[in-house]
Amino acid sequence: GWDNDDAPFRPAGEECVTMVQGRLHVCVNGVGYDLEEGDSLTYDFSLPHWYRNSSTEDAVLIGAMTPPSF
């Protein structure tokens, strides 16, 4: 039940996310991707992007970014 469509992320770098559990809709520069357990997505982190979990099920992912943002 989480969505950051109104405030997309836009830092510099590259990110790769891998779904561990659940489902997540990821939108990168206006293109949507529906990720499920085992799926991965790599993209230019500086493009506007946002995540949406429309279900009540937890969405668990591993994210790696370069350069590190925190």
Side-chain angles (χ1 to χ4, degrees), residues 2-9 25-28 48-52:
W2 185 83
D3 182 339
N4 72 312
D5 181 19
D6 292 337
F9 303 116
H25 181 80
V26 180
C27 185
V28 180
H49 57 284
W50 52 267
Y51 301 156
R52 175 181 293 136

Side-chain angles (χ1 to χ4, degrees), residues 40-63:
S40 294
L41 180 66
T42 300
Y43 53 90
D44 181 339
F45 210 47
S46 67
L47 297 173
H49 57 284
W50 52 267
Y51 301 156
R52 175 181 293 136
N53 177 359
S54 298
S55 76
T56 58
E57 180 184 358
D58 288 343
V60 179
L61 63 86
I62 297 171

Side-chain angles (χ1 to χ4, degrees), residues 23-40:
R23 296 180 180 157
L24 197 64
H25 181 80
V26 180
C27 185
V28 180
N29 206 33
V31 179
Y33 303 91
D34 292 314
L35 303 182
E36 297 181 356
E37 185 175 326
D39 290 342
S40 294

